């Protein structure tokens, strides 16, 4: 690393605070590594840190202390990666990514950027390559480089990487996208997700089918709202994208970046839109905004929204159909994983991220009332998890696995309220197949008239928490054969994203010469918007200029 | 999995100590409630061994949670050690989770530091500031049981508290349990 890494000693910042825990973070100005307090005030959780040069930064960390407390009880550390790409002794996150020997989660989802070109030119985004900027480069790894990246991911132990997201820029701009998908599948990756703005899939009716046949499991479709004002990116195109996916039997995950005062009033409407497309939309992944770039405290307060705030808005905006009690933090899955590990005596794929990083729930559509029924309404989740923890302990203490299986079978129905269970679903049967027989084919049944609602709050320089980062399981694979946690890669792009892509990219002129294409040639010209009234277009322009925020996900 | 079974010496000497029962009143009417407070501590073996060294050893072997299952209650005494009729009891779990802490206070040289969080029954998380606080949180129990006089019946009653603590097999030792009963107290129900 070229930079000099500075680490500061603890400063007394917490005299009058109700400090919940202490951690390490960075100064958003100079990236110095600083001690930080996570503390409670007025029912919310904040983070504060003091840089000797740039002063104190205080930031909202989690919008509800009550939810923070509930979520924290699910904290467990993962198995980590026993085959580190950066072997080190001492831990100075985020300077040694990665994965270094101290990382605590194996890859849950690997991201591979296949291009930094885009067919949109969102004014606020500086992720995609644009002409006229000094040193601008096109980053498009070769098939050999990509194969090597996937092999690096597959070499991870104890759990080889098994789930990939192809991302960009806009990945559909690459002519060899279908071949890339085929290569990833050939290398043994099970789940392939395509992160896209969906425009090319809306325009090319057969692309969705080609992608599904090549092995794409689902689209990860940017979708920020239900009006042109809140979703200027693909409001007009998304319905066509979904329709083409429907015809191709390709699932879609809607991905709204949630910004307070911009689109946080539409979280319920996004859910309703998804519900009307429940045959194709498998999930919504709400992403509270990550505030990149320099922002004043006032600006941050205007736009900052956290996981509990989004969950509360969803409760309000669905008239209590999906309540805050229906959500669980991601590591809630761990007791299930540990049970399977104790049962099979083999390390299993585990979602061991920090409890403050993400949350989720399942909702089912009631066939008669068309209301959404969260899984918590018919499954005693806590009771089930406690039962699994108890059985895991018994297995690890030498109990006979057949005896445990018999006890499991005799008890499992007690956790499911059959009266309230949606028609056509037998959760007890499904859990028995998945947990005891490791037959996941029936899990598909889960998706019948159901959706997964997920949330992940990517970090930024203001709220960065090394306890979260060290447990990150959303990673990037890079051509220098490293695997870098998402919130290092994007939060400190000058150390990771930009540096690596510049190294492996080429100047625009060279790329144009090599390909015989002009960079602007593939820009989207609004074909699907041609008949839209002018005033509606103007509305869109207003919305895009209202927020000075860069989305962190690329597309 | 990376299992290196290395039992900690003396784990079998874990016992329940200082089990006691007290009541909010010596007499109670049939239609009145009375509160009984039961206290106990798990001592010796596992309590002595429960230090950050043990947490790190367990954590390194992917043995990252330790559950203490308690079964605590009140029984009527028939004669001497013979008891019958559980009047009230509660079974619950306290779970210790070992995790890598980045607290600069716990870990001033920024190396690896495995610390513990305890989740109490009722899912209340506790972040202990010291090893002693972790032990107290996990191993010292105080429970109050509210009983109606009518549940005891008219007359003079001798009562004892009972407590059982059990744990599973871990990288640092075998599964085990310990149980004990308190001295008796008497209460008159009119
Ligand atoms: S974030 Fe992970 S990979 Fe990066 S330095 Fe920290 S422990 Fe290592
Ligand atoms: S990507 Fe960021 S928010 Fe998500 S798990 Fe990793 S550290 Fe947490």
């Amino acid at each position: 690393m070229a930079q000099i890494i500075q680490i500061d000693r603890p400063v007394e910042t917490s005299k009058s605070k109700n400090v919940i825990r202490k951690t390490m973070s960075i100064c958003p100005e100079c990236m110095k590594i600083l001690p930080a307090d996570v503390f409670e005030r007025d029912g919310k959780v904040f983070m504060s840190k003091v840089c000797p040069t740039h002063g104190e930064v205080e930031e909202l960390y989690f919008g509800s202390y009550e939810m923070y407390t509930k979520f924290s009880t699910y904290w467990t550390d993962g198995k980590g990666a026993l085959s580190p790409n950066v072997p080190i002794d001492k831990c100075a996150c985020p300077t040694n990514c990665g994965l270094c020997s101290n990382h605590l989660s194996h890859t849950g989802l690997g991201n591979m950027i296949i291009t930094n070109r885009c067919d949109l030119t969102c004014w606020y985004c500086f992720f995609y390559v644009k002409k006229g900027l000094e040193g601008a480069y096109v980053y498009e790894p070769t098939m050999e480089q990509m194969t090597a990246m996937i092999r690096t991911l597959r070499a991870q132990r104890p759990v080889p990487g098994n789930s990939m997201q192809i991302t960009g820029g806009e990945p559909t701009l690459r002519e060899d996208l279908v071949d890339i998908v085929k290569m990833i599948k050939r290398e043994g990756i099970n789940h392939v997700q395509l992160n896209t703005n969906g425009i090319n899939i809306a325009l090319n009716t057969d692309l969705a089918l080609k992608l599904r046949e090549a092995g794409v499991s689902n689209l990860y479709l940017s979708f920020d709202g239900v009006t042109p004002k809140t979703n200027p990116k693909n409001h007009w195109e998304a319905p066509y994208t979904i329709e083409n996916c429907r015809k191709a039997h390709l699932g879609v995950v809607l991905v709204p970046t949630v910004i307070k005062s911009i689109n946080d009033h539409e979280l319920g409407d996004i859910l309703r839109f998804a519900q009307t497309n429940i045959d194709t939309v498998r999930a919504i992944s709400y992403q509270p905004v990550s505030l990149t770039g320099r922002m004043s405290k006032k600006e941050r307060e205007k736009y900052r929204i956290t996981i509990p705030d989004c969950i509360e808005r969803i409760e309000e905006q669905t008239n209590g159909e999906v309540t805050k009690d229906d959500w669980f933090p991601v590591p809630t899955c761990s007791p299930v994983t540990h049970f399977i590990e104790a049962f099979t005596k083999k390390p299993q794929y585990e979602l061991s991220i920090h409890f403050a990083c993400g949350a989720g729930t399942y909702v089912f559509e009631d066939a008669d009332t068309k209301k959404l029924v969260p899984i918590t309404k018919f499954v005693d989740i806590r009771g089930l998890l406690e039962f699994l923890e108890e059985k895991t302990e018994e297995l690890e203490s030498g109990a006979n696995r057949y005896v445990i299986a018999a006890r499991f079978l005799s008890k499992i129905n007690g956790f499911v309220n059959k009266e309230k269970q949606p028609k056509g679903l037998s959760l007890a049967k499904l859990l028995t197949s998945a947990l005891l027989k490791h037959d996941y084919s029936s899990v598909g049944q889960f998706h019948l008239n159901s959706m997964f609602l997920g949330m992940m709050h990517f970090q930024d320089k203001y709220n960065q928490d090394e306890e979260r980062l060290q447990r990150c399981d959303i990673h990037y694979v890079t051509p220098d054969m490293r695997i870098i946690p998402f919130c290092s890669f994007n939060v400190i792009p000058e150390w990771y994203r930009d540096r690596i892509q510049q190294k492996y990219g080429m100047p625009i002129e060279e790329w144009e010469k090599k390909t015989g294409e002009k960079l602007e040639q593939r820009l989207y010209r609004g074909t699907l918007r041609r008949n839209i009234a002018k005033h509606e277009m103007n509305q869109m322009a207003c919305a895009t200029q209202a927020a000075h925020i860069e989305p962190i996900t690329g597309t | 999995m990376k299992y290196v079974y290395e039992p900690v010496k003396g784990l079998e000497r874990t016992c329940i100590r200082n089990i006691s029962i007290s009541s909010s009143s010596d007499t109670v009417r049939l239609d009145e409630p009375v509160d009984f407070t039961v206290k106990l501590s798990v001592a010796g073996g596992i309590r002595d061994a429960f230090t950050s060294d043990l947490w790190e050893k367990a954590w390194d072997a992917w043995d990252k949670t330790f559950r203490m299952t308690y079964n605590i209650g009140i029984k009527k005494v028939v004669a001497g050690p013979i008891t019958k009729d559980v009047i009230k009891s509660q079974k619950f779990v306290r779970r210790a989770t070992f995790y890598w802490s980045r607290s600069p206070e716990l870990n001033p040289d920024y190396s690896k530091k495995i610390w513990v969080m305890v989740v109490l029954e009722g899912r209340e998380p506790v972040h202990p500031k010291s090893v002693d606080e972790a032990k107290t949180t996990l191993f010292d129990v105080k429970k109050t049981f509210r009983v109606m006089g009518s549940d005891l019946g008219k007359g003079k009653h001798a009562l004892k508290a009972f407590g059982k603590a059990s744990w599973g097999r871990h990288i640092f030792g075998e599964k085990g349990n310990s149980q004990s009963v308190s001295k008796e107290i008497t209460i008159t129900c009119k």
Side-chain angles (χ1 to χ4, degrees), chain A residues 469-519:
Chain A
L469 189 57
Q470 200 183 2
R471 290 162 176 82
C472 179
D473 77 354
I474 312 289
H475 300 155
Y476 279 90
V477 286
T478 55
D480 53 359
M481 302 306 129
R482 285 197 286 162
I483 299 175
I484 299 172
F486 188 107
C487 284
S488 289
F489 192 80
N490 285 314
V491 172
I492 317 180
E494 53 273 47
W495 290 2
Y496 295 109
R497 184 182 76 198
D498 294 351
R499 209 170 52 86
I500 293 168
Q501 291 190 29
Q502 195 143 23
K503 183 171 170 196
Y504 292 94
M506 63 176 77
I508 297 173
E509 305 69 45
E510 195 183 324
W511 179 85
E512 288 187 333
K513 215 165 138 196
K514 191 176 149 203
T515 59
E517 247 188 77
K518 288 282 168 210
L519 190 62

Side-chain angles (χ1 to χ4, degrees), chain B residues 98-112:
Chain B
F98 310 133
Y99 70 97
W100 183 322
S101 168
R102 303 305 299 268
S103 162
E105 272 180 6
L106 294 171
N107 184 13
D109 70 346
Y110 306 109
S111 53
K112 177 169 144 195

Side-chain angles (χ1 to χ4, degrees), chain A residues 7-10 22-24 35 69 72-75 77-79 82 90-91 93 102 104 158 341 346 382 386 389-390 393 396-397 466-467 470-471, chain B residues 1 3 59 62-65 67 69 91 95 97-105 108-111 117 119 123-125 127 129 167-170 175:
Chain A
I7 305 182
D8 205 36
R9 297 275 131 194
K22 288 177 178 277
T23 182
M24 301 293 286
T69 307
S72 71
T73 62
Y74 292 92
W75 189 335
D77 278 356
K79 293 179 279 288
L82 301 183
K90 283 217 171 179
C91 199
C93 292
N102 294 324
L104 298 180
E341 283 181 339
K346 279 193 198 125
R382 277 192 181 170
E386 276 161 23
E389 280 180 354
E390 188 185 295
E393 186 178 85
E396 282 173 350
S397 300
E466 289 177 12
E467 278 186 357
Q470 200 183 2
R471 290 162 176 82
Chain B
M1 271 182 240
Y3 279 122
W59 188 95
W62 298 350
D63 185 3
K64 291 176 179 172
T65 49
R67 297 167 82 248
T69 305
K91 191 175 172 189
R95 178 163 52 83
T97 299
F98 310 133
Y99 70 97
W100 183 322
S101 168
R102 303 305 299 268
S103 162
E105 272 180 6
D109 70 346
Y110 306 109
S111 53
M117 179 184 71
V119 180
R123 296 203 73 86
E124 184 196 336
H127 292 271
K129 292 196 174 51
W167 60 93
R169 183 179 195 269
H170 286 270
K175 68 176 180 180

